Amino acid sequence: MPEIGAEANQELRLQCPTEEPEEVADCWDGLQKDYRGDISTTVSGYTCMKWTAQDPHSHSRTEENYPDSGLGDHNYCRNPDNEPNGVWCYTTNPDQRWDYCRVPKCGTVGTNHMCFDDLQSEYRGPQQVTESGQKCQKWTAQTPHSHSRTEANYPDTGLGDHNYCRNPDNEVGGAWCYTTDPNQRWDYCAISRCRDEEDYCFDGLQKAYRGPKQVTAGGRKCQKWTSQDA
């Protein structure tokens, strides 16, 4: 029998079939508990705090307390405790404890499932800082600003013992809150809108502005237009 040459022997070697690479999911439905991606910025643009950190927000959502939920020494968005709108994180902003993350939901890829148009009366997220950076006052509090926007007076509008932005009285600019600044009674919140052209901003001379801002860029409290003092 003729000897098989090295070249022929090479051709006779059996090749193991290569395994098909697993498809990487690009969307997550439901509570998004299986999300293990590296998004680390919230829908409002805040940087996430590491789950192993306790500053600026102390918390109990640790790997020890919530095993097998994707927590660890990182700041990637996760949902260890079944928050209804999906993955979230604590933020590095001392005034904003936590916020949801914009991880795509299946069937809405290419769209923003955490956006709210029109009056934003249905917004039930955790945003607690206004668009000018003011921390929100709790709806149950009456200081520094006394008010009538309470859960008793405006039922089923998302008010309660929290300081999250809401729109109980259909303010035209969307979700808002009273602020903890004695000089700024209330302000709108920068909640994402589904259509960019509806963003609450004003170009040019800003003559159409009808918002509640009452502190100048230099931090001075505004005088009433009906006042003639000073």
Side-chain angles (χ1 to χ4, degrees), residues 37-59:
D38 59 0
I39 291 177
S40 58
T41 303
T42 74
V43 294
S44 305
Y46 299 114
T47 299
C48 292
M49 182 178 90
K50 276 191 173 186
W51 296 98
T52 50
Q54 292 291 328
D55 183 68
H57 306 289
S58 60
H59 63 92

Side-chain angles (χ1 to χ4, degrees), residues 68-226:
D68 305 318
S69 57
L71 304 185
D73 188 27
H74 60 74
N75 69 336
Y76 303 146
C77 302
R78 298 290 185 260
N79 191 7
D81 56 355
N82 300 325
E83 287 296 332
N85 286 326
V87 295
W88 61 277
C89 70
Y90 295 104
T91 85
T92 54
N93 184 337
D95 292 332
Q96 179 70 37
R97 181 169 173 78
W98 69 281
D99 196 8
Y100 285 111
C101 301
R102 189 171 288 121
V103 171
K105 292 204 172 191
C106 299
T108 61
V109 177
T111 64
N112 178 5
H113 71 280
M114 289 295 292
C115 60
F116 301 84
D117 279 337
D118 303 319
L119 299 177
Q120 302 182 327
S121 341
E122 74 280 11
Y123 175 71
R124 295 297 182 271
Q127 177 72 6
Q128 58 194 117
V129 177
T130 73
E131 61 182 12
S132 58
Q134 302 279 0
K135 185 175 182 178
C136 293
Q137 173 183 308
K138 274 192 174 186
W139 297 99
T140 50
Q142 292 292 328
T143 179
H145 306 290
S146 60
H147 62 92
S148 62
R149 271 57 172 179
T150 63
E151 190 174 13
N153 292 336
Y154 292 82
D156 306 318
T157 58
L159 303 186
D161 189 27
H162 61 73
N163 67 337
Y164 302 149
C165 302
R166 297 290 184 261
N167 192 5
D169 54 356
N170 297 325
E171 289 293 335
V172 294
W176 62 278
C177 69
Y178 296 104
T179 85
T180 54
D181 181 350
N183 294 326
Q184 177 70 36
R185 181 168 172 78
W186 69 281
D187 196 6
Y188 287 115
C189 301
I191 308 300
S192 296
R193 290 188 177 273
C194 302
R195 296 188 290 275
D196 291 340
E197 64 270 19
E198 290 192 30
D199 283 348
Y200 194 69
C201 60
F202 300 85
D203 284 333
L205 299 177
Q206 302 181 324
K207 290 179 71 68
Y209 176 72
R210 296 295 183 273
K213 189 69 177 169
Q214 58 191 111
V215 178
T216 71
R220 303 275 187 172
K221 184 174 182 179
C222 295
Q223 175 181 308
K224 278 189 175 183
W225 293 99
T226 53

